[in-house]
Amino acid sequence: MPHNKSDAFLSVQGLAVEYSSSGEVIHAVNGVSFDLKKGGTLGLVGETGAGKTTIAKAIIGILPRPPANVSAGEIFMNGRDLLKVDNAQMRKVRGKEISMIFQDPMTALNPIMRVGEQIAEAIFRHEQVTKKQAEDKGKEMLEMVGISTERYREFPHQFSGGMKQRVVIAMALACNPSLILADEPTTALDVTIQAQVLDMIRSLKNKYGTSMLMITHDLGVVAEICDDVAVVYAGEIVESGSKEQIFTSPKHPYTVGLFKSLPDINSDMERLNPIDGLPPDPSNLPAGCSFGPRCPNFSPKCQDHIKLKDAGNGHFYRCW
Amino acid sequence: MGLFIVKRLLWIFPVMLGIAILIFTIMYICPGDPAAAILGIGATQIQIDQKRAELGLNQPYIVQLLQYLKQVFLELDLGTSYFYRTPVIDGLMSRMHYTLILALTCMALQILIGTPLGIMAATHRNGLADRFCMIVALAGVSIPGFWFALMMVVFFSVKLGWLPTYGVGGIQYYIMPCIANSFAGIATQARQTRSSMLEVIHSDYISTALAKGLSDREILFKHALPNALIPIITVVGNGMGMMLGGAVVVENVFSIPGIGNYMMSAINSRDYPIVLGGVLVLGIVFSLIMLMVDIIYAFVDPRIRARYEGKKRGKLESA
């Protein structure tokens, strides 16, 4: 994807991440590039195992090493390559400039630590405050996500799933980060709670002008909250563009398939339309287009390397 | 919490009843006759029969059992030794402190050495430190305590002459018994700490803590270790049981006049009241330790605390 570094707030270029386990190398992310505008929201859409979470973890620098290894690429935030920042400096970035909302609120909180303390901990770590001030700020954050300050000293098991996710969000926003990585923040929640949490994320994000990378497999979430979309398949971006472009004129067969598989409430449809086949084994990716084996328009030339094609106005796709 | 403790203390009685019935039955089935043991080889059958009648051993099993239970649980009397003719409780109490010193020291060694070894192994997974710790731990769980004790005696006492071979006195008398008795415990503790740390390190809340920008130290001591402690505490409790049991063996190897030694000679001479009394006293000690373990659990894990208290959420402020 062509880009202009000065204009993007976050710019990921050619990122590749591998996991090695017992001699086998798993290519989780293969040359991913995307830009995120200041204050914008980019949706990273794809199936489970497509490498979305790995991308986010690489950005915030918490990939477990070993087994993970960033084999190529650059991650620029405000012009600084985060992959070149040493660990001590990176700790000051984590939680302060970049924070992450995790997928499963049930397990994302330390079960034996008071929720308030878990929020205050990040504040105390990054801001020049006393413990007391950190606690006050922690209470303020709880109120902001709609939880009474009386519950500051309670433990995670006393909270429902939706409330835990609010705590996780309060924790992520505590130090007023400029970038939030939201890793499927609503997947583990009830549908009714999903809408609440999404609304809250959106309003808080708008209030503070935070940029956000929204990782999801739910196109509904994308429609709700994102400005731009990048579709990830087998560790590669197969199509990217504005939400309108992707939703109204998807170009890549995988994106087309994703939209086709959505049930339409107006049509009298009896069965869903899934994409046939399974995602490729990341330790043994097919040559050329990794979607090839499942593609309805497969032809021999798909086995060559395929470059991104420009559909105009910032809409790109990786197909003939 | 108070109610929970009282409940658990009351539970000790049925447990003791079970232990008493079990041990009494085992001793009853065991071959050997206390009367013959007391009178020695020269005794005639008539003398032996007389003695058996005197000790009440000619009664049917069920009568003997009920009599014993009545004596222990209603009269709170552990009886009199067949051999020494002194109250069992006095004999046990005068020896108790040797056993307790041995068991508690071993316990402390297990916690203070085993836990750091396990943490080191987990944080340097597959590294040199990990391999070293795990080899030591494997040796610890594989080598029988009594054999290890004898080998130490051969080396440190007989060859080098550094440490006394048996008896009690200053601290030097406790070094080998404590090492022999705690080696397996240290090993188990290290292995449990390692595996439970490794499990915790891979949980999501550790990623959360990392994403907050905490240092490795903070993550280890504030998030990982407290969570990893929960299964470790169980091992400590079980370890205490092993230490008490091991003390019986080690006291005999090193001739420490503790409860273990007392019971061992009582087993040989079929001195039933001592054997039964010793097991009951050790049982009470063990039950109290398990109660302490449960209280520590509640202290570490708020989820368990909430269950003990049986209260609804939002009422834990005072806990």
Side-chain angles (χ1 to χ4, degrees):
Chain A
M1 187 194 304
H3 62 281
N4 182 353
K5 266 178 214 161
S6 58
D7 145 77
F9 165 68
L10 175 79
S11 172
V12 173
Q13 297 303 323
L15 180 71
V17 183
E18 299 167 348
Y19 290 96
S20 38
S21 80
S22 53
E24 205 182 31
V25 178
I26 293 157
H27 304 277
V29 179
N30 308 301
V32 160
S33 305
F34 59 83
D35 289 347
L36 174 57
K37 289 190 284 272
K38 179 112 193 108
T41 300
L42 172 69
L44 223 48
V45 185
E47 282 165 85
T48 305
K52 300 167 305 213
T53 302
T54 304
I55 295 172
K57 285 193 169 174
I59 294 171
I60 196 169
I62 59 168
L63 283 172
R65 300 175 208 208
N69 175 38
V70 178
S71 51
E74 291 158 320
I75 298 169
F76 290 102
M77 190 168 106
N78 282 327
R80 174 165 65 151
D81 186 352
L82 295 180
L83 292 176
K84 295 210 172 68
V85 175
D86 71 41
N87 205 9
Q89 287 299 312
M90 201 56 204
R91 275 206 285 275
K92 291 182 184 157
V93 173
R94 280 181 217 135
K96 169 77 182 141
E97 291 175 51
I98 309 177
S99 60
M100 190 155 170
I101 299 171
F102 290 90
Q103 179 171 359
D104 187 356
M106 299 300 171
T107 56
L109 293 172
N110 183 344
I112 61 173
M113 197 171 176
R114 295 174 198 280
V115 289
E117 280 165 22
Q118 298 193 43
I119 301 171
E121 191 180 39
I123 301 163
F124 185 70
R125 176 86 207 165
H126 293 292
E127 316 280 355
Q128 307 302 316
V129 292
T130 61
K131 290 243 155 145
K132 180 79 187 68
Q133 286 167 319
E135 186 178 326
D136 291 342
K137 176 81 203 241
K139 286 184 175 160
E140 205 179 292
M141 294 309 298
L142 269 187
E143 270 193 336
M144 200 180 76
V145 294
I147 296 173
S148 145
T149 54
E150 282 164 26
R151 309 196 65 177
Y152 182 88
R153 296 181 62 72
E154 290 188 10
F155 290 96
H157 71 269
Q158 294 165 285
F159 284 68
S160 67
M163 291 188 92
K164 277 186 211 172
Q165 194 60 305
R166 287 160 189 253
V167 173
V168 172
I169 291 166
M171 208 150 71
L173 293 172
C175 296
N176 206 354
S178 40
L179 173 64
I180 295 174
L181 309 171
D183 184 5
E184 310 213 13
T186 56
T187 304
L189 303 175
D190 283 341
V191 183
T192 46
I193 308 294
Q194 279 184 8
Q196 272 182 28
V197 167
L198 274 185
D199 278 344
M200 193 174 68
I201 291 177
R202 185 173 37 206
S203 70
L204 292 173
K205 183 189 115 46
N206 291 340
K207 190 168 157 195
Y208 294 104
T210 318
S211 313
M212 181 158 75
L213 188 66
M214 170 62 83
I215 294 169
T216 182
H217 58 241
D218 185 342
L219 290 165
V221 171
V222 174
E224 185 105 350
I225 211 165
C226 298
D227 307 319
D228 296 317
V229 183
V231 181
V232 185
Y233 185 79
E236 232 178 5
I237 292 183
V238 293
E239 182 159 7
S240 66
S242 71
K243 177 170 68 187
E244 289 72 24
Q245 287 163 343
I246 303 289
F247 274 68
T248 53
S249 58
K251 302 280 187 218
H252 193 280
Y254 178 59
T255 321
V256 174
L258 279 184
F259 282 106
K260 268 202 194 140
S261 66
L262 286 179
D264 184 351
I265 205 159
N266 297 319
S267 77
D268 192 17
M269 171 165 129
E270 292 220 331
R271 301 183 74 95
L272 296 173
N273 281 315
I275 303 173
D276 289 333
L278 290 170
D281 174 3
S283 63
N284 185 20
L285 290 174
C289 178
S290 47
F291 186 62
R294 296 169 77 184
C295 184
N297 315 328
F298 182 75
S299 69
K301 63 179 176 175
C302 295
Q303 283 166 346
D304 300 332
H305 179 71
I306 300 166
K307 290 207 182 99
L308 274 179
K309 258 173 87 176
D310 191 346
N313 297 322
H315 184 183
F316 295 93
Y317 62 101
R318 197 181 290 276
C319 192
W320 297 108
Chain B
M1 199 71 203
L3 190 70
F4 166 75
I5 294 172
V6 171
K7 248 195 253 172
R8 282 291 306 266
L9 283 173
L10 288 176
W11 258 106
I12 291 180
F13 286 98
V15 170
M16 286 302 117
L17 193 66
I19 293 178
I21 294 172
L22 193 69
I23 301 297
F24 188 91
T25 310
I26 291 173
M27 291 309 285
Y28 183 82
I29 297 169
C30 271
D33 182 0
I38 294 166
L39 295 170
I41 305 167
T44 63
Q45 190 59 45
I46 298 167
Q47 285 174 308
I48 290 175
D49 287 343
Q50 239 168 17
K51 194 77 186 168
R52 284 177 64 86
E54 186 190 320
L55 296 174
L57 294 171
N58 54 351
Q59 307 265 24
Y61 161 75
I62 193 75
V63 175
Q64 285 189 50
L65 173 66
L66 289 177
Q67 248 165 14
Y68 183 73
L69 294 181
K70 173 170 157 266
Q71 176 200 322
V72 171
F73 290 94
L74 295 180
E75 296 158 22
L76 299 177
D77 178 12
L78 290 178
T80 310
S81 159
Y82 294 161
F83 227 72
Y84 305 102
R85 296 177 186 281
T86 53
V88 168
I89 192 74
D90 295 350
L92 288 171
M93 285 306 146
S94 65
R95 290 166 172 83
M96 187 72 159
H97 64 281
Y98 293 114
T99 304
L100 281 184
I101 289 175
L102 188 61
L104 291 176
T105 313
C106 291
M107 196 73 259
L109 288 176
Q110 169 176 341
I111 296 168
L112 295 177
I113 300 174
T115 316
L117 276 182
I119 294 175
M120 199 162 80
T123 51
H124 298 83
R125 191 183 187 186
N126 294 335
L128 214 62
D130 184 18
R131 297 268 150 80
F132 172 75
C133 293
M134 285 308 105
I135 288 171
V136 173
L138 185 65
V141 289
S142 319
I143 297 174
F146 70 92
W147 180 84
F148 189 53
L150 290 173
M151 289 304 113
M152 279 196 292
V153 170
V154 169
F155 194 71
F156 292 108
S157 307
V158 179
K159 278 227 163 109
L160 297 171
W162 289 354
L163 296 168
T165 47
Y166 68 92
V168 281
I171 192 164
Q172 70 271 25
Y173 287 89
Y174 283 100
I175 295 174
M176 284 195 294
C178 286
I179 294 175
N181 196 21
S182 61
F183 195 23
I186 291 172
T188 318
Q189 178 88 4
R191 290 165 68 91
Q192 177 63 55
T193 306
R194 177 181 184 268
S195 66
S196 108
M197 278 298 277
L198 284 178
E199 198 183 309
V200 166
I201 282 171
H202 290 111
S203 46
D204 287 351
Y205 53 84
I206 298 298
S207 297
T208 310
L210 265 170
K212 268 191 240 178
L214 301 184
S215 68
D216 292 351
R217 237 187 112 74
E218 282 173 298
I219 291 171
L220 184 63
F221 289 105
K222 282 179 76 179
H223 292 272
L225 189 58
N227 276 290
L229 273 180
I230 296 161
I232 295 172
I233 295 167
T234 317
V235 172
V236 172
N238 289 338
M240 191 65 201
M242 299 231 328
M243 298 296 174
L244 287 172
V248 175
V249 176
V250 169
E251 279 174 13
N252 277 285
V253 173
F254 292 99
S255 302
I256 295 170
I259 290 184
N261 211 333
Y262 190 48
M263 280 168 66
M264 200 65 156
S265 56
I267 291 170
N268 287 330
S269 60
R270 298 290 180 272
D271 201 338
Y272 296 161
I274 295 180
V275 179
L276 289 162
V279 172
L280 284 175
V281 167
L282 289 182
I284 290 174
V285 172
F286 186 65
S287 299
L288 291 176
I289 287 164
M290 288 324 257
L291 174 61
M292 265 161 63
V293 165
D294 280 340
I295 294 171
I296 295 170
Y297 265 142
F299 184 73
V300 172
D301 191 337
R303 289 165 294 185
I304 295 174
R305 187 156 64 229
R307 208 178 315 147
Y308 288 170
E309 293 182 344
K311 286 183 185 172
K312 293 261 158 54
R313 62 183 195 197
K315 299 248 171 88
L316 279 173
E317 259 74 9
S318 58

